[in-house]
Amino acid sequence: MSASVTNLTCVRQAHKEQTYEEFLEARKAGFGGSDVGDLLDSEPYGCKRRLFLDRLGLLPAGGDDRLRYHLERGKFFEAPVAELYAQKTGRMVKPTGTGYIKQHPFVRANADRMTSREIGPDGGRGWGVLEIKVPGAWSF
């Protein structure tokens, strides 16, 4: 890469309500954190070949129904969990969108929310990332 870290520009797109199929299609625009295992062919689930075939649209349509269930459940509970986090911590929470680097738009990230955090010795506020995980009942 020719651009230095200090010259990179992060762009954020607002989330919009998407169907599961639209979500799968939007993921093909680049590679995000969920793709790292596949990019590195890490065992036992990573598969670089499957990832690239998916991005090229060469895998059967429809996706995995188990993934669909987990994504729908996570999306359903994301807002109430974020609200509970804000109540318990006293921090502000706001929705975010897809972030990507302008010079390298295939490098993408989707944060669930942004949250206020204390920074520096003067107690100034900044924003951090809040990732929300909603485990299944079997986890408990």
Side-chain angles (χ1 to χ4, degrees), residues 91-136:
R91 295 179 174 184
M92 295 179 286
V93 175
K94 65 180 180 179
T96 186
T98 299
Y100 64 91
I101 299 172
K102 186 176 181 179
Q103 295 85 342
H104 308 287
F106 57 88
V107 178
R108 307 176 81 75
N110 293 299
D112 294 329
R113 297 284 192 279
M114 298 299 288
T115 181
S116 62
R117 61 182 171 87
E118 299 294 325
I119 57 171
D122 62 352
R125 286 204 176 256
W127 289 95
V129 173
L130 176 63
E131 279 297 314
I132 299 169
K133 303 299 175 217
V134 182

Side-chain angles (χ1 to χ4, degrees), residues 21-35:
E21 289 73 20
E22 289 171 329
F23 168 78
L24 291 178
E25 190 62 33
R27 288 189 70 196
K28 293 180 182 178
F31 302 102
S34 300
D35 301 317

Side-chain angles (χ1 to χ4, degrees), residues 27-44:
R27 288 189 70 196
K28 293 180 182 178
F31 302 102
S34 300
D35 301 317
V36 171
D38 286 332
L39 284 168
L40 299 176
D41 255 345
S42 77
E43 295 293 334

Side-chain angles (χ1 to χ4, degrees), residues 65-86:
D65 283 338
R66 290 172 298 168
L67 176 61
R68 171 185 229 140
Y69 168 75
H70 292 299
L71 289 172
E72 287 174 346
R73 182 173 41 83
K75 186 175 180 180
F76 179 82
F77 285 110
E78 191 174 294
V81 169
E83 186 176 322
L84 180 62
Y85 173 86

